[in-house]
Amino acid sequence: MQPIKILITEDDPDWIKAMTAFLNKEEDMLVVGAATSREEAVRLAGTLEFDVALMDICLTPGQVDGIYAAMELLEVRPAKVIMLTSLEEESVITKAFTAGAVQYVVKTDYRSLPQTIRGVIRSSNPMEVLLKEFARLKREEQLKELTGAERELFGLLEAGYTQREIGGKLYKAESTLKNQVNKMLKKLRVKSSKEAVAKVRRGGLVPEAEKPENGGRERDG
């Protein structure tokens, strides 16, 4: 039986060392890599094979950049992300699940990690059902202001069609389609179709590097 492969992302080297030793004692687990930053985690996601990512929620003091690291990591590799933190604020937990995490463990409860890791790997994990519904609701929250025609347009853009292809498929003049696209982008508060698709897929979360500088009109909550 193959062990569950684990990637740890944590800014504290001592914690990495302790967690690696702790988890490697489990017969069915193996820590295959560790990252100390958001950038390194995403880079390793492209080169390492792993089943579970343990992600510290605060990779930089005073920031919750682990949330954005989880989101970016999942865009590279489909893994189960478990957030590790000392924070228990409801808004932070909600953002973590929006980013794609499947569990949330307070660091003082680290002894429960082996059981939690096994739980997220099981195909019958009931948490998966709740998270799928949560993701559906976050998606609906993003699209609720769009008209039926705009939703159809967004669906085609999300499926990878170009505006020219959409025009032919829907029998719409270029000027009409362009007008609909602009209205849709304005409602979603983005500048391009690509940004619109990415934002909705991310549940409305916008990585800090992409946030607008116009007084924070576009929020990531």
Side-chain angles (χ1 to χ4, degrees), residues 41-176:
V42 175
R43 181 178 60 78
L44 287 178
T47 59
L48 282 179
E49 289 189 10
F50 55 92
D51 308 298
V52 174
L54 301 182
M55 180 70 67
D56 180 19
I57 212 163
C58 296
L59 297 172
T60 305
Q63 298 183 30
V64 289
D65 47 345
I67 289 175
Y68 302 104
M71 182 173 65
E72 293 165 357
L73 179 148
L74 287 170
E75 290 175 353
V76 177
R77 181 171 297 277
K80 306 291 185 180
V81 175
I82 298 173
M83 303 302 295
L84 297 176
T85 184
S86 56
L87 303 175
E88 297 184 71
E89 288 90 341
E90 184 177 322
S91 62
V92 175
I93 294 173
T94 300
K95 281 187 178 182
F97 286 130
T98 301
V102 296
Q103 269 295 2
Y104 192 97
V105 176
V106 177
K107 284 185 175 181
T108 53
D109 194 29
Y110 72 90
R111 291 180 181 82
S112 69
L113 274 174
Q115 180 180 351
T116 300
I117 290 169
R118 293 184 187 104
V120 302
I121 289 297
R122 295 189 189 116
S123 59
S124 60
N125 178 18
M127 190 69 173
E128 294 281 352
V129 178
L130 294 176
L131 290 174
K132 283 180 181 178
E133 176 62 11
F134 178 74
R136 186 192 69 78
L137 291 173
K138 293 299 290 186
R139 178 184 176 83
E140 180 60 29
E141 181 182 302
Q142 297 297 301
L143 301 177
K144 64 183 179 181
E145 294 184 18
L146 303 188
T147 65
E150 288 165 352
R151 280 183 178 238
E152 181 181 30
L153 174 59
F154 177 83
L156 291 170
L157 288 169
E158 188 176 34
Y161 288 93
T162 65
Q163 287 192 35
R164 177 175 293 182
E165 290 170 337
I166 293 171
K169 192 175 182 67
L170 300 180
Y171 303 101
K172 290 187 177 181
E174 183 179 347
S175 58
T176 301

Side-chain angles (χ1 to χ4, degrees), residues 171-188:
Y171 303 101
K172 290 187 177 181
E174 183 179 347
S175 58
T176 301
L177 184 61
K178 185 176 181 180
N179 186 46
Q180 282 191 328
V181 169
N182 287 336
K183 286 182 178 179
M184 181 193 71
L185 297 181
K186 185 176 181 180
K187 289 178 180 179
L188 293 174

